[in-house]
Amino acid sequence: MKELVDDPVYEVLKSYNNLLLDYIVLGFNNIYQGEQSHKEAVIEAITTFGFREQVGNYYSPGPFSMDKAKMKCRKITVDEFFFEKSNGYSLPSEEIDKKDIPDKMNYYLAFFDPPYGTDYTIQDFRKINQLLFPVSQEDLEIYEWNDEFSDYFDDGKDWWGTALWSIYDKTLKRFVIIGASLSD
């Protein structure tokens, strides 16, 4: 498994300065083994994140530790992953026009609601996803991961939230890992 550093999506992501999610695209030439392959991709991604200049809104993070025995995941549907609302947030009827109270982070919310906000549009969200998954969303297998196995998640546990998704594209034979763990 190797990061596809020349993938065009990286050039586009550079122009999104306020997008604080962590993205990695990994080539995968092995025999796909479902959850086990996703676990290997997540380990590779967290390791790679540790050597990037910026991870989320933190600079020079250094290597992240991982306890592989604590890794847990849940398979989710394509519709659940790309749902264009804050489906992981609860909103009591008396709070209709107020900020949602989080009980779970979803991809849409992680994209649009970092600690200091963003001015990106739904078109930006869709553009990036089209670059990440250019063939068909029907060929994706997606897992959502817990946040107990690595100190990568420490910043987000402070208050904003955490999330990590591994997405395998069966047609392109590659993984996209998207992480969210931000602090103020």
Side-chain angles (χ1 to χ4, degrees):
M1 203 167 311
K2 183 179 177 184
E3 182 175 14
L4 301 176
V5 294
D6 294 329
D7 192 282
V9 74
Y10 287 120
E11 201 57 42
V12 173
L13 287 171
K14 286 179 189 176
S15 66
Y16 287 88
N17 297 358
N18 294 326
L19 180 56
L20 299 176
L21 299 178
D22 299 308
Y23 290 89
I24 186 168
V25 180
L26 300 169
F28 186 73
N29 296 321
N30 299 335
I31 295 172
Y32 179 70
Q33 297 178 334
E35 186 177 323
Q36 181 59 38
S37 297
H38 280 261
K39 183 175 183 177
E40 293 169 16
V42 165
I43 291 167
E44 180 67 25
I46 297 287
T47 300
T48 302
F49 290 160
F51 293 100
R52 288 187 171 172
E53 182 179 323
Q54 181 181 355
V55 175
N57 58 352
Y58 188 75
Y59 290 88
S60 303
F64 293 111
S65 65
M66 285 181 275
D67 183 345
K68 297 171 189 169
K70 292 183 178 180
M71 293 179 78
K72 295 179 185 168
C73 63
R74 174 179 80 89
K75 189 173 183 179
I76 62 174
T77 67
V78 169
D79 290 339
E80 188 177 356
F81 179 70
F82 289 106
F83 188 73
E84 293 182 354
K85 293 187 181 174
S86 57
N87 67 341
Y89 275 48
S90 58
L91 191 63
S93 58
E94 65 273 7
E95 299 284 320
I96 290 295
D97 291 323
K98 298 181 182 175
K99 186 170 176 67
D100 297 352
I101 301 167
D103 61 0
K104 177 181 152 193
M105 181 74 65
N106 73 348
Y107 179 41
Y108 178 85
L109 193 63
F111 186 95
F112 284 108
D113 194 24
Y116 294 106
T118 182
D119 58 355
Y120 300 133
T121 66
I122 192 69
Q123 287 77 19
D124 294 315
F125 181 71
R126 292 174 181 164
K127 175 183 176 180
I128 288 171
N129 290 324
Q130 179 61 42
L131 289 168
L132 290 168
F133 314 108
V135 179
S136 168
Q137 290 182 356
E138 299 306 314
D139 293 327
L140 304 178
E141 187 168 294
I142 306 167
Y143 284 85
E144 175 181 73
W145 292 83
N146 68 331
D147 65 1
E148 300 300 320
F149 68 91
S150 176
D151 54 356
Y152 165 80
F153 301 104
D154 287 355
D155 283 349
K157 287 180 180 179
D158 188 32
W159 66 275
W160 179 73
T162 63
L164 186 74
W165 301 277
S166 58
I167 304 99
Y168 180 65
D169 187 321
K170 297 173 190 175
T171 302
L172 297 178
K173 297 189 183 323
R174 72 180 195 177
F175 279 94
V176 173
I177 310 298
I178 303 171
S181 182
L182 302 172
S183 183
D184 64 345

